[in-house]
Amino acid sequence: MLQSVTNQMLFLALLFLLPQAPATAPSSGQASARVWEGRNAEYEAYLRAAPVARMAAIEIGVTHPKRAFFAEGGLATSAAWKPLRPGFRNGYWESYKSEVAAYELDKLLDLGMVPVVVERRIDGAPGAAILWLEGVRTWTEVQPLTKPASWSRQLARMKLFDDLIGNPDRNKGNLLVDGAWNLYLIDHSRAFLDDRALPQAIDHVDSALWTRMEALDERAISAAAGAWLNKSQINSLLARRDKMAATIAALVKKNGRAAVFVW
Ligand SMILES: Nc1ncnc2c1ncn2[C@@H]1O[C@H](COP(=O)(O)OP(=O)(O)O)[C@@H](O)[C@H]1O
Ligand SMILES: [Mg+2]
């Protein structure tokens, strides 16, 4: 576990430090994979009810999710299927409910980085069905490419989100990138730790996102994600948010507002 924590810290340190190669055309054109934009309810309804035509194994990953394929010609080809019953596995808290709650929080905050997730049953087992992102590249594939100006803002938004939801598992396997350089956040089964620690160091802050995070209260979180989070998890989320506020206030005091709120 120490090894994995060390690897993760190394990865996060490398996010900003690695030199970047000259511009290369993105491998998958300029297409956005955010097909659900403005159509969340439609995609949610489809994922909840579409019959599963076949189930395939996913070769990468730790918890061995499956990929559920729907009938051809439907709204979506497939979904990642994670029937992770809430509990500890290999020392980590895991729950399919955290996948749903992460998506609901993304919606509440108008983040737009987590693909659609719904709770459903397949073969009698409850789990999270996560819209499969088509035509995306892995972190490793895009790492050597020169990034557009939008990139650092997306990373800053990711960090705020991971701190808020208490996600200790942001690593290169849990990030995907489309042809338009949109960054996607996946794999939140370990998030919503009942813990006040902030997994990411905050350096720069997106004003619009932070304003929405500052406005969160118990009522708003319960309304959005109360079906998948208990009271204690919600209180921990709010405690992390308050800690983020204190961290940001200290940064502003030290470096000035303009150096912290750069977007
Ligand atoms: N919604 C998705 N769209 C595209 N690829 C996905 C999606 N969900 C998972 N994957 C792929 O499957 C891998 C494993 O899924 P992940 O949710 O990270 O589970 P694990 O807990 O096993 O790490 C990911 O690294 C990614 O390559
Ligand atoms: Mg993963």
Side-chain angles (χ1 to χ4, degrees):
M1 186 167 139
L2 187 61
Q3 179 70 28
S4 114
V5 169
T6 314
N7 283 345
Q8 199 163 313
M9 285 170 69
L10 187 66
F11 163 69
L12 291 169
L14 288 175
L15 280 179
F16 287 103
L17 296 179
L18 278 179
Q20 292 170 0
T24 319
S27 58
S28 6
Q30 298 299 313
S32 166
R34 207 184 286 132
V35 290
W36 64 91
E37 202 166 3
R39 300 173 69 186
N40 293 69
E42 209 183 321
Y43 274 86
E44 288 167 22
Y46 185 79
L47 287 185
R48 249 182 230 120
V52 175
R54 68 187 171 88
M55 196 68 96
I58 298 177
E59 300 306 333
I60 24 183
V62 188
T63 63
H64 304 291
K66 293 210 159 50
R67 184 170 172 185
F69 284 87
F70 309 121
E72 271 178 43
L75 191 59
T77 63
S78 57
W81 174 238
K82 298 183 118 181
L84 292 164
R85 283 182 45 197
F88 281 91
R89 276 179 198 76
N90 305 320
Y92 283 103
W93 167 256
E94 301 265 12
S95 174
Y96 78 83
K97 293 186 183 188
S98 297
E99 297 278 8
V100 190
Y103 165 67
E104 293 295 336
L105 259 292
D106 168 293
K107 261 198 313 187
L108 183 64
L109 295 166
D110 201 15
L111 184 69
M113 299 175 86
V114 179
V116 178
V117 184
V118 300
E119 176 174 329
R120 68 173 288 177
R121 282 178 181 268
I122 295 180
D123 293 337
I130 303 147
L131 180 68
W132 194 265
L133 294 165
E134 307 284 351
V136 287
R137 298 167 290 173
T138 64
W139 179 270
T140 309
E141 283 168 322
V142 303
Q143 195 284 319
L145 309 180
T146 300
K147 312 298 188 299
S150 63
W151 191 246
S152 46
R153 181 180 185 185
Q154 295 189 84
L155 292 177
R157 285 156 61 89
M158 171 196 83
K159 290 180 181 187
L160 290 182
F161 187 65
D162 282 338
D163 278 347
L164 185 79
I165 69 168
N167 175 26
D169 197 26
R170 184 64 61 207
N171 61 61
K172 57 186 175 180
N174 296 338
L175 290 165
L176 294 166
V177 184
D178 70 19
W181 285 103
N182 294 308
L183 178 66
Y184 297 98
L185 312 179
I186 60 162
D187 197 357
H188 301 103
S189 61
R190 292 177 176 171
F192 300 98
L193 281 178
D194 209 345
D195 176 328
R196 290 157 192 226
L198 302 182
Q200 304 262 17
I202 300 172
D203 36 29
H204 299 110
V205 178
D206 181 303
S207 316
L209 179 60
W210 177 242
T211 300
R212 291 192 287 272
M213 288 184 172
E214 265 187 312
L216 288 177
D217 58 14
E218 215 252 272
R219 195 198 47 78
I221 300 166
S222 293
W228 301 283
L229 298 176
N230 62 36
K231 283 265 182 301
S232 176
Q233 286 176 301
I234 293 174
N235 288 338
S236 288
L237 183 153
L238 290 168
R240 283 190 300 271
R241 191 276 313 276
D242 294 346
K243 220 169 164 180
M244 292 165 74
T247 307
I248 293 169
L251 269 178
V252 167
K253 199 168 171 196
K254 186 168 157 237
N255 301 330
R257 204 177 161 80
V260 179
F261 287 92
V262 290
W263 300 283

